[in-house]
């Protein structure tokens, strides 16, 4: 059997400033899609909230002001060139953006677009970090809980371009359940976009550990679930806030096989072997043989005596 391979691109985006127009950003994305495809990419991952600056750092009294950052349709006149380029180059993509639905719901969303330029999957972010109150004393805020509703589509896996792709967005990558949900549905590849400021209001993590915990999350998710993970981030200074970058690809062995080295725009392309997950799924992570889900909702007292204690919310 011939190996299942994929030319996988990850596009890191240096800061998008408040004054950058959608049209300018899309032109930048199209140029990077062309570069990735010229280097053999068949599918490309773009960041979370790719089309604008990371607006949840601002407090808007009036939701109408925040709505300028949301997309009411996809593709729109402004984003259509990206879809046309995908069809022309026969190269699919993942894109994160802020979604405003016709009935007025706000989500932090990502889509899968296949090599014909058609949307084949949608995900709405479930783990929304930050706060919803105005902390005007902070140098910048993290108001995802104010501007977005918790996603209502669950963690889906989509058949696209001959493989099974699961999606996540930024903070989701730190939660082991996300990868496991997608692995249990047979995902070959988990793709995600991120916006991670070096300094996050209220987070105790030291700045120097930010890159470590980011890469650790990708690598652990990949290894413990025997799948590939590709993550594309914003990087560099966006409206005065430094974003960590470190866009990367992790293999089912838990190794980081490609990683951005700059804090600006950067295109990574790896030719990945999707069947690299097989030896892991047939041995250490043979879920059917070795997983014990019947024990995952209970803990037993260490002594082994007494009744098992239910774990709230698990
Ligand atoms: N956009 C995000 O979800 N960012 C979060 C933190 C930095 C608030 C993250 O986990 O990277």
């Amino acid at each position: 059997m011939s190996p299942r391979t994929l030319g996988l691109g990850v596009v890191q985006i240096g800061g998008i400033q408040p004054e950058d127009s959608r049209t300018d950003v899309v032109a930048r994305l199209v140029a990077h899609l062309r570069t990735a495809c010229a280097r053999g990419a068949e599918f490309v991952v773009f960041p979370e909230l790719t089309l604008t600056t990371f607006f949840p750092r601002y407090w808007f009294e009036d939701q109408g002001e925040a709505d300028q950052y949301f997309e009411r349709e996809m593709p729109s006149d402004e984003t259509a060139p990206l879809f046309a380029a995908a069809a022309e180059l026969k190269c699919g993509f993942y894109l994160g953006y802020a979604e405003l639905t016709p009935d007025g719901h706000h989500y932090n969303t990502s889509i899968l677009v296949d090599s014909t330029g058609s949307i084949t999957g949608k995900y709405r972010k479930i783990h929304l970090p930050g706060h919803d109150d105005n902390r005007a004393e902070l140098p910048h805020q993290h108001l995802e809980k104010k501007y977005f509703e918790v996603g209502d589509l669950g963690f889906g896996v989509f058949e696209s371009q001959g493989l099974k792709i699961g999606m996540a967005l930024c903070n989701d990558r730190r939660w082991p359940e996300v990868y496991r949900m997608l692995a249990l549905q047979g995902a070959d590849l988990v793709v995600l976009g991120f916006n991670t400021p070096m300094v996050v209001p209220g987070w105790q993590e030291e700045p120097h550990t930010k890159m470590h915990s980011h890469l650790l999350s990708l690598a652990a998710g990949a290894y413990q679930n025997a799948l590939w993970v590709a993550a594309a981030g914003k990087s560099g200074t966006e409206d005065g806030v430094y974003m960590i970058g470190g866009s990367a690809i992790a293999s089912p062995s838990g190794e980081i096989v490609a990683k951005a080295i700059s804090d600006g725009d950067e295109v990574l392309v790896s030719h990945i072997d999707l069947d690299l997950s097989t030896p892991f799924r047939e041995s250490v992570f043979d879920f059917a043989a070795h997983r014990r889900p019947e024990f995952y909702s209970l803990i037993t007292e260490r002594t082994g005596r007494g009744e098992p204690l239910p774990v709230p919310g698990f």
Side-chain angles (χ1 to χ4, degrees):
M1 211 170 82
S2 60
R4 290 192 309 142
T5 59
L6 179 74
L8 176 60
V10 167
V11 171
Q12 175 167 288
I13 295 291
I16 292 182
Q17 309 309 329
E19 62 273 17
D20 294 345
S21 72
R22 299 275 206 298
T23 304
D24 290 345
V25 173
V26 169
R28 195 162 150 192
L29 302 184
V30 168
H32 293 324
L33 191 74
R34 289 191 186 283
T35 301
C37 294
R39 286 164 49 190
E42 298 157 277
F43 180 82
V44 166
V45 184
F46 292 114
E48 175 191 43
L49 301 177
T50 313
L51 299 172
T52 67
T53 202
F54 187 76
F55 66 90
R57 71 171 70 91
Y58 313 119
W59 175 268
F60 295 112
E61 210 58 61
D62 173 10
Q63 179 62 39
E65 268 188 273
D67 283 352
Q68 66 182 297
Y69 294 97
F70 285 78
E71 312 304 315
R72 289 167 175 77
E73 53 180 353
M74 190 59 69
S76 58
D77 288 348
E78 288 147 320
T79 52
L82 187 58
F83 289 72
E88 177 204 323
L89 300 165
K90 298 185 175 41
C91 182
F93 65 86
Y94 159 106
L95 178 76
Y97 64 97
E99 178 189 13
L100 175 52
T101 68
D103 54 347
H105 292 284
H106 296 78
Y107 297 106
N108 187 342
T109 294
S110 60
I111 47 169
L112 285 182
V113 174
D114 71 9
S115 55
T116 69
S118 306
I119 295 176
T120 51
K122 181 180 273 194
Y123 169 68
R124 290 173 174 153
K125 186 174 180 179
I126 289 177
H127 296 99
L128 297 173
H131 50 101
D132 61 5
D133 55 324
N134 189 5
R135 302 187 187 173
E137 72 282 5
L138 296 173
H140 61 92
Q141 307 199 42
H142 199 103
L143 290 156
E144 288 195 56
K145 281 186 161 59
K146 171 174 165 61
Y147 295 122
F148 303 120
E149 295 162 62
V150 173
D152 61 349
L153 300 177
F155 295 102
V157 169
F158 303 90
E159 294 263 6
S160 195
Q161 297 183 244
L163 65 153
K164 291 186 177 170
I165 305 179
M167 286 185 278
L169 276 160
C170 198
N171 190 258
D172 288 322
R173 75 194 187 285
R174 304 184 192 275
W175 299 89
E177 297 88 342
V178 173
Y179 304 94
R180 183 53 52 91
M181 294 289 294
L182 298 170
L184 287 170
Q185 296 168 75
D188 298 299
L189 168 67
V190 173
V191 290
L192 63 96
F194 63 96
N195 280 273
T196 301
M198 180 59 89
V199 177
V200 181
W203 280 36
Q204 300 303 319
E205 205 179 9
E206 294 292 329
H208 77 271
T209 65
K210 276 282 155 53
M211 184 60 73
H212 175 71
S213 60
H214 155 65
L215 295 173
L216 179 68
S217 300
L218 306 182
Y223 171 67
Q224 293 176 337
N225 296 284
L227 43 69
W228 288 88
V229 175
K234 299 256 198 74
S235 185
T237 303
E238 226 190 45
D239 201 17
V241 176
Y242 187 80
M243 318 291 273
I244 66 165
S247 302
I249 298 173
S251 79
S253 60
E255 291 163 285
I256 301 293
V257 300
K259 180 178 158 306
I261 54 169
S262 74
D263 59 4
D265 285 24
E266 196 171 328
V267 177
L268 309 177
V269 178
S270 284
H271 297 270
I272 67 168
D273 177 357
L274 294 162
D275 290 330
L276 211 58
S277 57
T278 306
F280 296 93
R281 286 191 180 170
E282 289 181 350
S283 59
V284 56
F285 296 122
D286 180 338
F287 286 174
H290 308 309
R291 266 186 95 239
R292 289 286 170 263
E294 64 274 27
F295 287 96
Y296 299 160
S297 60
L298 301 172
I299 54 171
T300 314
E301 286 181 3
R302 286 195 179 183
T303 59
R305 294 191 299 269
E307 290 300 305
L309 303 173
V311 183
F314 201 86

